[in-house]
């Protein structure tokens, strides 16, 4: 018989697999919050990070996923998820850097468009 936290994580895994990420997230977060010393907490952090990074998730948040995988590595450094969590963090770090770069470029483009409009309006 599995302990309650492990059963909750298993249920959350099934919910995530069945396309119910919000319910899965809630269960993962419950395990993380209510069972800090239980080994199932590492599994819950892993599942939470995966759900946060799912492109189809209604609350997809790559920055939150990066943070969650970081917590997993910090709090459970020798878990079975260590190597995969490190890979996720490296990938997410690159993705977040590219998103920031794109945001800067969009801002510069908007500024250049405003300058162009001002130049077109000014007398020559």
């Amino acid at each position: 018989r599995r302990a309650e936290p492990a059963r909750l994580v298993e249920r959350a895994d099934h919910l995530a697999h069945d396309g119910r990420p919000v319910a899965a997230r809630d269960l993962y977060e419950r395990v993380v919050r209510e069972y800090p010393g239980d080994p199932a907490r590492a599994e819950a952090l892993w599942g939470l990070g995966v759900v946060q990074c799912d492109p189809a998730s209604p609350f997809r948040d790559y920055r939150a996923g990066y943070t969650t995988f970081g917590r997993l590595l910090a709090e459970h450094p020798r878990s079975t998820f260590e190597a995969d969590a490190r890979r996720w963090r490296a990938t997410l770090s690159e993705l977040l850097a590219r998103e920031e770069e794109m945001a800067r470029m969009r801002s510069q483009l908007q500024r250049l468009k405003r300058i162009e409009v001002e130049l077109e309006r000014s007398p020559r």
Side-chain angles (χ1 to χ4, degrees):
R1 191 171 120 94
R2 293 188 70 179
E4 178 71 8
R7 283 196 310 272
L8 291 172
V9 169
E10 187 176 335
R11 176 72 180 133
D13 290 344
H14 288 295
L15 290 167
H17 183 266
D18 292 342
R20 298 184 54 204
V22 175
R25 177 201 60 195
D26 293 346
L27 279 180
Y28 290 135
E29 287 178 344
R30 178 179 167 195
V31 172
V32 169
R33 186 178 56 252
E34 294 179 12
Y35 302 96
D38 194 282
R41 189 167 191 271
E43 293 177 61
L45 284 167
W46 170 257
L48 180 59
V50 170
V51 169
Q52 289 168 330
C53 294
D54 183 351
S57 173
F59 56 86
R60 179 197 55 138
D61 184 343
Y62 295 134
R63 193 165 306 282
Y66 179 85
T67 300
T68 299
F69 290 127
R71 282 182 67 189
L72 172 59
L73 291 168
E75 296 171 16
H76 306 276
R78 306 224 189 297
S79 77
T80 59
F81 305 103
E82 179 185 10
D84 288 332
R86 287 192 190 289
R87 282 190 280 275
W88 265 104
R89 279 189 47 100
T91 301
L92 291 169
S93 177
E94 188 68 28
L95 179 95
L96 292 169
R98 296 293 173 249
E99 283 183 349
E100 289 173 11
E101 183 180 340
M102 295 237 336
R104 280 192 304 276
M105 293 175 95
R106 278 190 206 102
S107 176
Q108 289 175 347
L109 182 60
Q110 291 300 319
R111 187 175 60 80
L112 289 172
K113 285 180 179 179
R114 284 192 302 273
I115 291 170
E116 181 181 29
V117 168
E118 289 173 15
L119 287 174
E120 288 176 357
R121 290 182 182 165
S122 66
R124 297 191 173 141

